[in-house]
Amino acid sequence: MERQNKTTVTIFFLHGLDGYPVFYFIFFLLCLIMYIVILLGNSFLITVSILDSHLHTPMYFFLSNLSFLDICYTSSSIPMLLVNFLSEEKSISFIGCGVQMFFSFAMGATECVLLAIMAYDRYLAICKPLRYPIIMNKGLGVKLVTSCWMAGGFTSVIQTTLTMKLSFCGNIIDYLTCEILAVLKLSCDDISLNVTVMMISNIFIIVIPVVFIFISYFFILITILRINSAEGRKKTFSTCSSHLTVVIMFYGTILFMYMKPESKDSHATDEMIALFYAVVIPMLNPIIYSLRNKDVKAAVKKLSKNIFSQRI
């Protein structure tokens, strides 16, 4: 289908990384391996958090939701991405594009808010330790997580609906997936409403959570510096170091992707960064929380002993 004014689009062609066809099979293998690690690693964290009673705390409830989010987010795009790396056509239906756009945007927006709530949880645990069990009870945890999912879903419904109602002048998306900004570039209509709504939603989904995380860690840092012993400071910081690492990777990639100046020469680099954001970060999350978390390590050892003793 050629590029022309107001074409009725029923299918999109994904031409991301079109200049590097010789690397498609390598990309396929890498993405497949990382996707398997994502599914196994995040499922493992969820399972351990459910089976070990010592992990039935708000922190691991939030972490389980983060793991589930990563599974959903990657599953909305990676399977199709794997197929397209081996396909000559590299296409997706109009409806399929809308579904992929909705779930990718919803999961990403939900994770932005969830990371802010996890920062608040760490703030209460470190700065208000005596009141923490009272404030961060099970009921509040469920309400906060539900609010995250509702905020992400509501934002995505609005963004996806506004985008898919547009008329398009072509059906070739110069991107690996149906990313909303890449699809908007194909529109023949005025997209000023889309841009305005996106800017407003970004304030609530990205800017406010980032500010909230910064303020939370500012008070956490002050509290840690007030601890007299170096061992005490180290132990306290270790309870939030995994979350801080994930936050830096997640928001650092988002800010670099969407706030750096546009350049024609950097398009391939942008797509590689987007691939890193979509695949590598969800793969690293369970690894970071497992390797740097004594509670998870202890839970794994306990479960392993129970399984081994039962077999004997």
Side-chain angles (χ1 to χ4, degrees):
M1 195 179 291
E2 298 291 327
R3 253 176 125 61
Q4 55 188 1
N5 289 336
K6 296 202 176 181
T7 303
T8 301
V9 174
T10 59
I11 189 171
F12 287 106
F13 294 96
L14 303 168
H15 284 196
L17 294 175
D18 215 22
Y20 304 91
V22 293
F23 296 112
Y24 282 168
F25 188 68
I26 296 174
F27 290 146
F28 169 81
L29 288 178
L30 289 175
C31 288
L32 178 61
I33 292 169
M34 287 188 283
Y35 184 51
I36 292 172
V37 173
I38 289 167
L39 294 178
L40 294 177
N42 285 289
S43 297
F44 168 77
L45 265 182
I46 294 171
T47 303
V48 170
S49 299
I50 292 172
L51 294 180
D52 194 297
S53 58
H54 292 95
L55 301 183
H56 292 177
T57 63
M59 174 181 170
Y60 292 101
F61 175 64
F62 297 139
L63 179 56
S64 296
N65 273 270
L66 179 64
S67 294
F68 183 66
L69 265 173
D70 284 337
I71 291 173
C72 293
Y73 177 73
T74 52
S75 296
S76 69
S77 58
I78 293 182
M80 178 62 71
L81 192 64
L82 293 173
V83 171
N84 285 340
F85 274 138
L86 299 180
S87 169
E88 291 292 332
E89 192 176 59
K90 305 185 190 309
S91 63
I92 186 171
S93 68
F94 181 84
I95 295 175
C97 183
V99 171
Q100 185 183 88
M101 186 187 300
F102 167 77
F103 280 104
S104 295
F105 200 98
M107 298 303 109
T110 302
E111 187 160 342
C112 287
V113 182
L114 181 60
L115 287 173
I117 288 175
M118 292 175 75
Y120 177 63
D121 174 72
R122 293 299 83 207
Y123 160 76
L124 288 177
I126 294 172
C127 301
K128 311 280 185 182
L130 297 179
R131 298 181 61 191
Y132 175 70
I134 300 172
I135 299 173
M136 190 57 74
N137 53 54
K138 185 177 179 180
L140 179 61
V142 171
K143 290 177 183 177
L144 290 173
V145 167
T146 303
S147 299
C148 288
W149 285 93
M150 290 179 65
F154 179 72
T155 304
S156 187
V157 165
I158 295 174
Q159 298 283 2
T160 304
T161 302
L162 288 175
T163 301
M164 302 311 286
K165 286 175 66 176
L166 296 170
S167 298
F168 298 100
C169 295
N171 62 345
I172 298 176
I173 300 175
D174 193 14
Y175 213 75
L176 291 165
T177 61
C178 282
E179 201 268 342
I180 190 166
L181 293 179
V183 175
L184 285 175
K185 290 178 181 179
L186 300 178
S187 176
C188 305
D189 300 335
D190 180 13
I191 61 169
S192 57
L193 176 61
N194 299 71
V195 173
T196 302
V197 172
M198 186 173 290
M199 288 179 64
I200 294 172
S201 67
N202 284 346
I203 291 173
F204 289 97
I205 297 298
I206 298 177
V207 177
I208 292 178
V210 167
V211 172
F212 192 82
I213 290 170
F214 179 82
I215 293 172
S216 297
Y217 273 100
F218 174 76
F219 286 108
I220 288 172
L221 180 62
I222 291 175
T223 302
I224 291 175
L225 292 176
R226 286 176 179 172
I227 299 173
N228 294 325
S229 67
E231 184 65 27
R233 289 194 294 270
K234 182 180 177 182
K235 185 177 180 181
T236 303
F237 180 73
S238 67
T239 62
C240 60
S241 59
S242 297
H243 175 260
L244 185 59
T245 303
V246 170
V247 165
I248 291 172
M249 288 195 308
F250 183 82
Y251 280 107
T253 308
I254 289 179
L255 293 175
F256 184 81
M257 282 171 60
Y258 292 107
M259 296 188 71
K260 74 179 188 64
E262 288 189 13
S263 170
K264 292 182 179 179
D265 298 329
S266 67
H267 183 68
T269 304
D270 294 344
E271 291 186 273
M272 293 303 297
I273 294 169
L275 199 59
F276 176 86
Y277 170 77
V279 184
V280 179
I281 292 179
M283 180 190 70
L284 292 177
N285 284 353
I287 297 173
I288 292 170
Y289 275 104
S290 298
L291 295 179
R292 304 185 66 175
N293 194 301
K294 293 180 180 179
D295 293 335
V296 173
K297 290 180 181 178
V300 172
K301 288 181 181 179
K302 181 182 175 182
L303 290 173
S304 299
K305 287 181 180 178
N306 290 340
I307 294 172
F308 183 72
S309 61
Q310 286 176 2
R311 287 184 177 181
I312 296 176

